[in-house]
Every structure is written in structure tokens, then in C-alpha cells.
Amino acid sequence: MLFLILSILCSVVVGVIFKVSRKYNANPSQIISFNYIAAITLCYFTFTPDLNALDDKAPLEIYTSIGILLPILFLFLALSIKYMGIAKTDAAQRLSLFIPILAAWLLFNEGFNTYKVIGVLVGFAALLFILKKPSDNTENKWIYPSTVLLGFGVIDILFKKIALYTVVPYTTSLFFVFLIAFAVSILIVIYKLFVAKENFVLKSIPFGILVGIFNFGNILFYLKAHKAFAENPSTVFAGMNMGVIILGTLIGAFFFKEKLSKINILGLVLALVAVVFIFLSQLQ
């Protein structure tokens, strides 16, 4: 349970850093690149990953898929915030819960007892109520939050597959994923600097390092939580998403003065109820 809580905290902090960085006009793609430099460094010196452990049986196609998806999805996240607002983007990211929950049933053959079914259904209702948060930007570019929803759902499933692969230590797998993501992010930055003619923003460096520290913690503790709940992946899928929504919404209200409507408060209450039911399902 501690790993899940730590992952939730790290995830929320990453979102807060991205939100604050917009006030300083930091460049999202450059933040993403420096984020991976910090994450790779932390991973290497913390765990000393054994790259020799990567044999021909290692799931290289999964590593590559996550490595490509991560930096691209971070960019779609920034575009979604720009065109659809932070509230709708956050809700879209957490609605990605639908995808891994279904995968836990269809792909991982997980059994669902009554408590878990109730928790999941109540959780979906909570997410929909939180989606109703107002946004000042009415420009209808749903392709961005839709991509965020689909992409993060797929990444959740892929990380679950890595957690289940025990031949290669998951810290080594994580290091390899970061390397691929960094390479992809560098290609994106090069394109933006020399083709799109964007300027290099020095302020992106400290924001990138901070994001990298907490991004590393988020993924690390997320994988550890999946190992701890190996037989019940939906507990991690649901607990992570609900926890981030609750904490993220409260931080938005108290620190960024975001207004909560009555339907938002109802959504928070339902999210708490959902988490209780999902955790109760673990006792059955």
C-alpha cells in the first residue's frame, strides 16, 4: 500500500510542476528531454542496472513501445492543457482507467468479486462527474485529451506486462525504457529547434530535472505496487487513478484556487467510496 501512495504523490507533483512551468513560459518538449536525463541518472546510480541481463527473451518490443509512447504522450498532454484546459485534460488522463481495468479482466484473467465490481462502477461514475469541471477554453479539440486517454491506458497495460516479466530485473527494464524515451524526446526537440524554429528556453532545465525526479519515483513505485498486488492489477489501476484525482483536485482547490462545483465534490466523494470498495475486495 505504501508503494501505491508514494506513486500517487509523485504523479501529482509532476502535474503541479508542469502547471507551474507554464507561468514561466518553459518549453514542454525541452522539459521532457531534461526530465529523462534526470530519470536515467537516478535509475543508473540508484540501482546500477545490469544491461547484460537483456537477453533475446527480454520484451524489447514492450520497452520500445513504452519508450516511444511516453515522450509523445507528454506532448499531447501539454497540447490538451493548452486547447482544452487542465481540468478536462486531467479527467481524460484518469479516465484511461477504463482500458487497464478491462485488460485486467480480458488479458490477465483477473476475477472480479462483488466489492470490486461496485468499486469500479462507482469509480467510473466519479470520473464522469469530475469531467464536468468547467473550462474557460471552449475550443473543441478533443483529439488531444482523447489521445491522452487512450495512450495512458495502453501504457498502464504495458507496464503491467513488464512487472510480470521476472527474468530481467524491473529496474533494468525501467532504465532501458528511459533510454529509449530520452532518444525519442531528443529527436522531438531537434525537430522543434531546427524545423519548427522554436527557441531554447533555459528555464526548461530546472523544471525538467524536477519532473525527472518525480517521474522516476512515480514509475518506480508504480511498478513496485504492481508486484505487491500481482494477482489483482485492477487494485493498482483503480487506486492509482482515484488517488491522483482526489489529491490533484484538492491541491488545485487549495493551492491554485481552482473552484469546485457541487458535482465535483460529489465526484470526490464517489471516488473515495470507490477506493474503499476496491480495497475491501482485497480482503475477500
Side-chain angles (χ1 to χ4, degrees):
M1 199 62 63
L2 177 62
F3 295 140
L4 185 58
I5 293 172
L6 290 173
S7 181
I8 290 169
L9 289 173
C10 289
S11 178
V12 171
V13 171
V14 168
V16 170
I17 294 171
F18 268 111
K19 185 169 184 176
V20 172
S21 72
R22 295 178 65 230
K23 297 181 180 180
Y24 293 89
N25 297 317
N27 186 287
S29 60
Q30 293 166 23
I31 288 176
I32 293 167
S33 283
F34 285 105
N35 140 73
Y36 287 120
I37 292 176
I40 288 169
T41 303
L42 280 172
C43 190
Y44 183 80
F45 286 104
T46 302
F47 301 110
T48 315
D50 180 16
L51 296 184
N52 292 325
L54 295 174
D55 56 20
D56 56 353
K57 295 181 180 179
L60 298 180
E61 68 283 356
I62 297 180
Y63 297 159
T64 304
S65 298
I66 299 176
I68 293 173
L69 281 174
L70 278 174
I72 293 175
L73 279 176
F74 269 127
L75 288 178
F76 272 95
L77 196 70
L79 288 170
S80 182
I81 290 173
K82 178 179 179 181
Y83 290 110
M84 298 301 293
I86 293 174
K88 286 189 172 70
T89 301
D90 180 66
Q93 182 179 355
R94 296 311 154 187
L95 277 169
S96 65
L97 172 68
F98 280 96
I99 298 171
I101 284 290
L102 291 175
W105 176 40
L106 298 174
L107 299 181
F108 303 124
N109 299 318
E110 179 183 343
F112 275 46
N113 57 35
T114 302
Y115 283 118
K116 188 168 292 185
V117 171
I118 293 174
V120 169
L121 292 177
V122 173
F124 288 162
L127 289 168
L128 291 175
F129 283 138
I130 292 174
L131 183 61
K132 293 293 184 181
K133 289 196 291 187
S135 174
D136 295 330
N137 193 331
T138 58
E139 191 171 355
N140 190 23
K141 294 194 175 183
W142 283 99
I143 183 63
Y144 300 126
S146 297
T147 302
V148 167
L149 186 155
L150 178 62
F152 277 101
V154 171
I155 282 178
D156 273 353
I157 297 172
L158 294 177
F159 269 127
K160 170 59 181 175
K161 286 184 173 294
I162 286 181
L164 293 176
Y165 186 79
T166 58
V167 176
V168 178
Y170 68 88
T171 50
T172 298
S173 298
L174 185 61
F175 181 77
F176 199 69
V177 166
F178 281 151
L179 284 177
I180 296 173
F182 174 63
V184 173
S185 70
I186 285 294
L187 291 176
I188 293 172
V189 169
I190 290 174
Y191 171 82
K192 287 181 172 288
L193 286 175
F194 296 100
V195 179
K197 303 300 182 182
E198 286 186 355
N199 296 321
F200 181 78
V201 182
L202 197 61
K203 294 177 182 177
S204 302
I205 298 177
F207 282 115
I209 292 173
L210 283 174
V211 169
I213 292 172
F214 288 99
N215 186 30
F216 170 75
N218 174 31
I219 297 176
L220 171 67
F221 292 126
Y222 187 69
L223 287 175
K224 282 181 174 288
H226 267 304
K227 283 187 172 293
F229 292 98
E231 301 301 320
N232 291 278
S234 67
T235 298
V236 180
F237 292 145
M240 178 67 182
N241 283 275
M242 300 303 170
V244 169
I245 287 172
I246 295 169
L247 184 59
T249 304
L250 290 175
I251 287 178
F254 288 104
F255 292 96
F256 294 101
K257 307 303 179 184
E258 294 180 358
K259 294 182 179 180
L260 289 174
S261 66
K262 291 181 179 179
I263 199 167
N264 298 155
I265 295 173
L266 176 59
L268 280 173
V269 173
L270 289 177
L272 285 169
V273 171
V275 170
V276 169
F277 271 101
I278 290 170
F279 287 150
L280 284 175
S281 72
Q282 291 295 112
L283 305 177
Q284 300 301 304

